[in-house]
Amino acid sequence: MSSALYSAGLGDVIRVCYLNAAYRILSETTQPLPVLVASHNPFALEIFRHHRNAKNFILYDLGHKYQEYLDAGLRGADISRALCEFAGVDYAGIIRGNADGHVPVFDAPDDVDSNGHIVFQPFAGVPQRSLSPALIETIVGMLRTLPWRTFIVTRSYPRSGGSGKLIHAAEDARCFEGGNVTVLENLSTPAALNLIKTCRAYVGSWSSLQQAAWFEHKPVAVFYPVDYVDVKQRTGYAFGMDRENTLGREFPQVDAVELEAFLRRW
């Protein structure tokens, strides 16, 4: 039996939705099909739970097993095999084909009725990739001068690293609410992805919604730590870095005047 596997972080799950044939097949299946969601972000499951064809999904919530295997030292295909074995799913049946240009459609119970807005995601799930409070304040101050609505997207959940130390918990931007800035604390994952589909630009950290914005060919202003490996090595996660409509800067290089000019350009 064919099955679909989505693992790792929310950004990884989003990438597979756009790059792999599985999401198209999930939309078309008329027979029960196993869907293994093994993300350390507990909200990744919402993409599939709210899907219009979810009645034909056999959903496995395996985030805890992914973290267990990661902590045990497994990586890549070894984690995938272990997840399939645990779920009793044939690893050879995992859908691996290319999406061939298919653009995923996301179903949400809480879509925001808006077009032409800016999405600002200041937090990245781990502290080292999240924007500092001072930098967030600077960017929000600039965004308030623009004629477009801005949505700050946050979502809190506890996440521990391999040592058991808490590396993610609260994402709080409520102090910036007001004027043209709206803070969305509990927007579902598919609704957040649809917010990207209808936005004019993405601004923020190197995180999940930045990946979606690149797949949707949106202007992206993304900020990251000094010498960040994905940028320096131009990994697959950095596939949009060299586009004309991308502004990428290390944290110390972020300039509000440059950012405003970039956003007004697009």
Side-chain angles (χ1 to χ4, degrees), residues 23-72:
Y23 199 82
R24 174 183 56 80
I25 292 171
L26 289 178
S27 301
E28 298 171 350
T29 186
T30 58
Q31 300 295 323
L33 194 151
V35 182
L36 283 61
V37 184
S39 175
H40 51 66
N41 186 315
F43 304 114
L45 197 70
E46 295 172 338
I47 296 174
F48 310 96
R49 181 175 289 139
H50 296 301
H51 194 288
R52 67 191 64 186
N53 199 27
K55 66 181 183 294
N56 288 315
F57 300 170
I58 307 170
L59 277 177
Y60 294 79
D61 184 0
L62 300 178
H64 64 298
K65 297 303 293 185
Y66 177 85
Q67 192 64 53
E68 176 187 318
Y69 297 142
L70 191 69
D71 293 346

Side-chain angles (χ1 to χ4, degrees), residues 26 47-48 54 77 95 99 130 139 152 156 162 177 205 216 250 252 262:
L26 289 178
I47 296 174
F48 310 96
I95 301 167
S130 295
I139 292 173
I152 302 180
S156 301
E177 177 80 33
S205 63
E216 291 289 339
E250 295 177 339
F262 173 80

Side-chain angles (χ1 to χ4, degrees), residues 20 24 35 68 82 84 88 93 118-119 124 131 135 145 151 157 165 173:
N20 186 274
R24 174 183 56 80
V35 182
E68 176 187 318
C84 289
I118 293 171
V119 175
L131 277 57
L135 185 52
T145 69
F151 293 100
Y157 65 95
K165 180 181 178 181

Side-chain angles (χ1 to χ4, degrees), residues 131-204:
L131 277 57
S132 69
L135 185 52
I136 295 172
E137 185 173 2
T138 296
I139 292 173
V140 170
M142 183 280 299
L143 293 171
R144 291 193 191 280
T145 69
L146 299 179
W148 309 297
R149 193 175 184 184
T150 293
F151 293 100
I152 302 180
V153 178
T154 70
R155 207 153 186 199
S156 301
Y157 65 95
R159 176 189 169 198
S160 299
S163 64
K165 180 181 178 181
L166 189 68
I167 60 175
H168 176 277
E171 296 186 357
D172 189 354
R174 287 171 290 180
C175 63
F176 301 111
E177 177 80 33
N180 68 329
V181 176
T182 300
V183 178
L184 300 172
E185 291 189 295
N186 296 298
L187 193 67
S188 73
T189 298
L193 292 170
N194 287 334
L195 200 66
I196 290 291
K197 283 179 175 286
T198 58
C199 78
R200 67 178 297 113
Y202 167 88
V203 177

Side-chain angles (χ1 to χ4, degrees), residues 73-88:
L74 274 64
R75 296 294 184 271
D78 289 334
I79 290 184
S80 297
R81 291 189 186 92
L83 290 167
C84 289
E85 182 178 355
F86 176 80

Side-chain angles (χ1 to χ4, degrees), residues 209-244:
L209 295 185
Q210 159 234 344
Q211 294 289 310
W214 271 338
F215 282 119
E216 291 289 339
H217 305 286
K218 302 292 184 177
V220 168
V222 61
F223 311 125
Y224 39 84
V226 175
D227 293 329
Y228 188 58
V229 61
D230 284 329
V231 177
K232 290 191 69 175
Q233 298 183 5
R234 286 299 193 269
T235 68
Y237 295 104
F239 70 96
M241 275 300 298
D242 299 315
R243 293 177 179 175
E244 184 183 7

